[in-house]
Structures are given as structure tokens and as C-alpha cells.
């Protein structure tokens, strides 16, 4: 790839297209727990639009202003009620919109690269910011970067405002308005769930002393593409080898088991070393009553499955997948309530440094509608992310670009572990579309 550079062309604060009555928006215990984490940084690479880039930029700014009317809290800033906790002051302080130009950078430089190029991090704003910074920084910051033959739309989104489901709900709603739809297809549900009304608000006054400024280490990042045929084969193998009494191991559970085993082997852990696999489990469907996908906010928890390295590698793929499946199956409305009660009784914020370096963490989901976004000039070519929440062992699952069950896994590892993974026989065999 040639030596590319990014230069900022303009920076604008985007306000609501119409003034709304100023009010507050309360954060839940699940939201408050995210205050020390990074902003979500995700975006889409698009082909070159059939219109001047200035027109593209103006369309995106106008549609973002209209979209914020449906999500007005995203145009506010955090504030503190001394009697309770952090909330959003819907004061329309605005979202940040930056236009940038990537000189000498082409779409092929990104989609054909083995490792995710380091320049991708420059496609996102709020690098290094944590959600607690939302007292003074925008809760949403967009950077639209013009490539020589394409456009990248990168969005940095305060994770205390919502999880991945909420992020893509907002992103896709914005794309609908940009493409000319008169309104959004799925208005957000902002009423707090019944469980929060029953348990009451979290009483926690955050301060900088409670926060951690996590610095992303030097990593290699690769996106591994699993075809629909490969995913089906891995899932079938896991189900055939497992001893499940009921239910079925999902595609993501099977892929997570594969990565847990392969990365544990790449790390060459002692047989007696405990290793874990954390999965980001969504609670919307598990609550009683369940919540629709349109619920806006955080409704997730990282759930842990552990094993000794020797046991994990001494058994087959089905054993590991079954262990993950059983952990997921134990997540119910009751466990969600128990977890939330714990956060209310003992409020705290998650620190990325708590992550076990002998484990892996699988976040995001291939079920998110990432390629559903069309801003008016065609579907996206690739999903890419910034430096947020990246550490050795972090994996993000994305749907493949082509419909039909393809899955992409963005894998972050220390360079020597990535080199070992790239020669792991079980992993390489699983990547093959068919035998």
C-alpha cells in the first residue's frame, strides 16, 4: 500500500433540525457500568458515490440532523444529579461531524490487505476517549473520509448510551434518511424496561478516580472470512461431537469454540493454566417481559466459560462448543435480574484491564444489520472498526458482506500469537469453504 495520509477538511457541530423541549434522559445501571469503557467505533467502506463529494457531505450532515430528532439524547451531554447518578442533559450541544480526505488511498488498499491497515484508526474520532468523557465531549462523532475511489463513514458512539444493537439501529436509521426515506423504519423505544422500574435507579456518582484510561497495545489485527459453507461445516461438526440433551449449538458458539481452542494453542499455555472465553450476551429477548430490538440502551453482559488449557485442547471442538452453549443457556430473565440487582446494590464501572490475558473475548454479532446501511449510493463493501476495546484476544463477529450465512471475525492478537494462529492446522482447515 502506498504511503497514505489523512487530512481534515472541515469540522462542524450538528444540531437537531428542530428544537425540542429540553429534558433529561436517565442512564440505567447497565449504562453506568460502561462509563470507563471506550466509545464504540464502527463504520462502513463504500464505493465512490455518483455525485460530488461536497454534495455527499452536505447530504450526510442534513440527514444526521434529522436523525437526531429521533434520537435527541445523542445530541446532549452527560450531567449529574447529586441525588441519583449520571443522566443525559438533552441540551442539543450537538454531534461532531468531520470531513477528511485520504490522499493516495484506494478501496483495494483496505479490502485486499492481509492485516487491517493502521490508517483505519484515523477514520474514527474519539480515539482513546472513554464514555465518562461524555460530560464534555459529543456522544456521537462522525468522520466521513473521502478515498481516491470510495468513501468511509466512521461513527464513534458513546457506549454508555447503548450497545451494539443500539449503535447499528442509529447508524441504519441515519442511512435511511440520507437515502431519501421520509422517516425511519424503526423508531427507538426509549421507555425504561419494567425491570428498571421495579428495582429502582442506580445511585452512583462517578468521578475520574473511578475511571481507567486504557491504552490499546501494539497488536496485529486480521479479519478472517468464513464462508457460509465453512460456517455450516464447523457448526455441524460441533453439534455432532457434542453431547447436548436438547437444543442446538449455534454458528457463533461453534466459531467461538474454534477460536478459543486455536488461540489457546497459539499462546502455548501450560496445561494447568485456566483460560476463558467471554461472550457478549444480549438480554433483550431474555427479559420477562422481553424487550424489542428497538429498545435503546445497554442490555448486554459478558458471560464467562472457563477450562484448563489441557482439558480444552485434550477434548474436541464439540466439548468446547457445548461448554459455551451451556453457559449461554443459563442466561435467563432471572439471571438478568440478578445481575442488574448486583449493579444497583454495588454500583461500579467496567475496566478493560480486568480482562484475563489468557482468555478471549467475543463481541459484536453477525446478526447485526451492518450491511443494511445504504446512504443513497449503494451498499457497503466492508465493516471496519477503530482502536476502541482492542486487546490481545479480542474478537468481533460481523456478518459477511454477501448474504447467506457468511461470517467475518476481526481478531486482535499480539504479533507472535497471530503468527502462530496463522499456522494452526485446526484453524486453517476450518477456514476452507469445503473439503
Amino acid at each position: 500500500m502506498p504511503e497514505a495520509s489523512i487530512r481534515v477538511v472541515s469540522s462542524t457541530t450538528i444540531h437537531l433540525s428542530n428544537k425540542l423541549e429540553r429534558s433529561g434522559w436517565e442512564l440505567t445501571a447497565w449504562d453506568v457500568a460502561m462509563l470507563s469503557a471506550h466509545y464504540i467505533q464502527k463504520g462502513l467502506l463504500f464505493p465512490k458515490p455518483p455525485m460530488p463529494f461536497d454534495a455527499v457531505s452536505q447530504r450526510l450532515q442534513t440527514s444526521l440532523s434529522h436523525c437526531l430528532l429521533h434520537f435527541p439524547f445523542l445530541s446532549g451531554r452527560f450531567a449529574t444529579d447529586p441525588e441519583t447518578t449520571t443522566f443525559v442533559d438533552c441540551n442539543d450541544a450537538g454531534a461532531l461531524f468531520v470531513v477528511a480526505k485520504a490522499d493516495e488511498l484506494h478501496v483495494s488498499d483496505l479490502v485486499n490487505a492481509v492485516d487491517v491497515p493502521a490508517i483505519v484508526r484515523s477514520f474514527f474520532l474519539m480515539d482513546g476517549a472513554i464514555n465518562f468523557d461524555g460530560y464534555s465531549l459529543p456522544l456521537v462523532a462522525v468522520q466521513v473520509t473521502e478515498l481516491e475511489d470510495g468513501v468511509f463513514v466512521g461513527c464513534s458512539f458513546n457506549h454508555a448510551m447503548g450497545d451494539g444493537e443500539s449503535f447499528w439501529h442509529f447508524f441504519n436509521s441515519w442511512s435511511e434518511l440520507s437515502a431519501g426515506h421520509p422517516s425511519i423504519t424503526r423508531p427507538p423505544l426509549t421507555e425504561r424496561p419494567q425491570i428498571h422500574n421495579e428495582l429502582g435507579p442506580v445511585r452512583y456518582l462517578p468521578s475520574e478516580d473511578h475511571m481507567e484510561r486504557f491504552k490499546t497495545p501494539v497488536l496485529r489485527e486480521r479479519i478472517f472470512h468464513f464462508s457460509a459453507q465453512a460456517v455450516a461445516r464447523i457448526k455441524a461438526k460441533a453439534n455432532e461431537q457434542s453431547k447436548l440433551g436438547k437444543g442446538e449449538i449455534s454458528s457463533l458458539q461453534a466459531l467461538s469454540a474454534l477460536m478459543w481452542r486455536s488461540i489457546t494453542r497459539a499462546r502455548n499455555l501450560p496445561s494447568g493454566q485456566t483460560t476463558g472465553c467471554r461472550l457478549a450476551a444480549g438480554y433483550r429477548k431474555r427479559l420477562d417481559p422481553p424487550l424489542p430490538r428497538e429498545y435503546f440502551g445497554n442490555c448486554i453482559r459478558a458471560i464467562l466459560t472457563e477450562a484448563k488449557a489441557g482439558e480444552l485442547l485434550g477434548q474436541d471442538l464439540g466439548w468446547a462448543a457445548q461448554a459455551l452453549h451451556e453457559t449461554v443457556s443459563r442466561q435467563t430473565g432471572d439471571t438478568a435480574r440478578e445481575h442488574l440487582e448486583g449493579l444497583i446494590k454495588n454500583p461500579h464501572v467496567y475496566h478493560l484491564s480486568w480482562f484475563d490475558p489468557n482468555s478471549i473475548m467475543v463481541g459484536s454479532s453477525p446478526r447485526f444489520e451492518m450491511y443494511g446501511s445504504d446512504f443513497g449510493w449503494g451498499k457497503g463493501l466492508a465493516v471496519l472498526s477503530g482502536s476502541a476495546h482492542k486487546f490481545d484476544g479480542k474478537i468481533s463477529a460481523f456478518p459477511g458482506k454477501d448474504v447467506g450465512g457468511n461470517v467475518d471475525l476481526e481478531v486482535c492478537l499480539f504479533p507472535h500469537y497471530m503468527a502462530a494462529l496463522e499456522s494452526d492446522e485446526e484453524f486453517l482447515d476450518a477456514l476452507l469453504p469445503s473439503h
Side-chain angles (χ1 to χ4, degrees):
M1 187 176 77
E3 190 67 29
S5 61
I6 289 183
R7 53 187 171 87
V8 172
V9 176
S10 65
S11 180
T12 308
T13 299
I14 305 296
H15 296 283
L16 303 177
S17 58
N18 293 310
K19 295 299 181 183
L20 297 181
E21 183 179 348
R22 181 168 169 167
S23 61
W25 196 74
E26 182 184 347
L27 298 187
T28 71
W30 277 322
D31 300 330
V32 169
M34 294 291 186
L35 284 174
S36 191
H38 290 153
Y39 277 53
I40 297 175
Q41 294 179 320
K42 296 286 192 298
L44 278 172
L45 176 67
F46 291 94
K48 190 178 184 67
M51 64 189 77
F53 186 69
D54 286 347
V56 170
S57 173
Q58 188 56 55
R59 172 189 286 193
L60 291 174
Q61 292 182 56
T62 301
S63 57
L64 179 59
S65 178
H66 290 304
C67 188
L68 288 172
L69 280 178
H70 300 278
F71 304 83
F73 33 82
L74 292 178
S75 188
R77 299 290 185 272
F78 290 151
T80 298
D81 179 349
E83 297 298 321
T84 54
T85 186
T86 298
F87 68 97
V88 179
D89 180 1
C90 298
N91 58 5
D92 193 25
L96 181 60
F97 188 97
V98 168
V99 176
K101 177 75 167 70
D103 297 308
E104 305 298 325
L105 187 66
H106 294 78
V107 167
S108 60
D109 297 325
L110 302 176
V111 298
N112 295 335
V114 175
D115 285 14
V116 177
I119 198 170
V120 168
R121 295 187 178 188
S122 301
F123 292 167
F124 296 91
L125 303 171
M126 303 301 176
D127 210 25
I130 62 174
N131 301 308
F132 177 71
D133 296 331
Y135 280 89
S136 57
L137 296 181
L139 302 180
V140 167
V142 171
Q143 179 174 309
V144 179
T145 305
E146 181 186 15
L147 281 64
E148 295 294 339
D149 57 352
V151 171
F152 189 85
V153 181
C155 183
S156 300
F157 175 99
N158 193 293
H159 206 334
M161 295 299 296
D163 51 23
E165 185 76 65
S166 294
F167 173 92
W168 288 106
H169 184 186
F170 169 73
F171 195 90
N172 289 331
S173 297
W174 174 29
S175 73
E176 286 182 320
L177 296 175
S178 175
H181 292 259
S183 188
I184 64 175
T185 303
R186 299 165 49 218
L189 173 65
T190 57
E191 292 183 10
R192 287 322 190 191
Q194 181 177 320
I195 188 172
H196 290 291
N197 297 329
E198 294 171 358
L199 298 178
V202 57
R203 301 187 181 278
Y204 179 69
L205 300 180
S207 70
E208 183 68 41
D209 293 340
H210 300 148
M211 306 301 150
E212 175 188 73
R213 300 284 171 174
F214 180 83
K215 186 177 181 180
T216 303
V218 176
L219 302 166
R220 281 187 61 193
E221 301 174 31
R222 282 198 63 176
I223 297 178
F224 293 99
H225 305 282
F226 290 83
S227 68
Q229 295 87 349
V231 172
R233 191 178 72 249
I234 296 165
K235 178 181 177 180
K237 182 178 180 180
N239 276 287
E240 180 183 350
Q241 293 177 345
S242 70
K243 305 297 188 291
L244 281 182
K246 60 179 181 178
E248 181 184 52
I249 290 167
S250 70
S251 298
L252 185 57
Q253 290 165 4
L255 284 171
S256 299
L258 169 72
M259 300 310 300
W260 188 18
R261 285 167 51 81
S262 300
I263 291 175
T264 298
R265 199 160 34 235
R267 287 171 169 163
N268 196 27
L269 296 179
S271 60
Q273 174 66 57
T274 298
T275 177
C277 176
R278 291 187 184 272
L279 299 176
Y283 276 147
R284 283 172 175 77
K285 293 182 179 179
R286 294 180 169 92
L287 291 175
D288 185 17
L291 287 171
R293 291 173 54 216
E294 288 76 19
Y295 168 70
F296 199 90
N298 285 285
C299 199
I300 55 170
R301 180 189 180 190
I303 56 176
L304 174 65
T305 303
E306 290 185 311
K308 299 294 185 182
E311 182 180 33
L312 176 67
L313 299 180
Q315 302 285 344
D316 55 22
L317 174 70
W319 183 90
Q322 179 176 339
L324 296 179
H325 175 84
E326 290 174 348
T327 299
V328 172
S329 297
R330 288 193 291 270
Q331 305 307 306
T332 64
D334 289 338
T335 55
R337 174 179 288 271
E338 180 181 342
H339 175 56
L340 192 58
E341 284 179 337
L343 287 175
I344 291 174
K345 291 177 180 177
N346 180 31
H348 59 272
V349 295
Y350 303 133
H351 288 179
L352 291 179
S353 64
W354 292 353
F355 180 77
D356 175 14
N358 298 311
S359 299
I360 69 168
M361 166 73 192
V362 183
S364 198
S365 172
R367 295 181 179 178
F368 292 160
E369 295 181 7
M370 300 184 186
Y371 287 100
S373 299
D374 181 346
F375 287 87
W377 58 84
K379 298 290 187 179
L381 302 173
V383 176
L384 296 171
S385 63
S387 64
H389 306 117
K390 288 185 174 175
F391 45 81
D392 178 62
K394 175 63 185 297
I395 299 171
S396 295
F398 305 148
K401 176 180 176 293
D402 301 316
V403 296
N406 303 291
V407 176
D408 291 343
L409 295 183
E410 177 195 71
V411 180
C412 301
L413 290 172
F414 288 137
H416 54 296
Y417 293 151
M418 184 67 81
L421 177 67
E422 290 169 333
S423 60
D424 184 83
E425 291 185 6
E426 181 184 13
F427 177 68
L428 294 177
D429 179 72
L431 275 173
L432 295 173
S434 61
H435 286 167

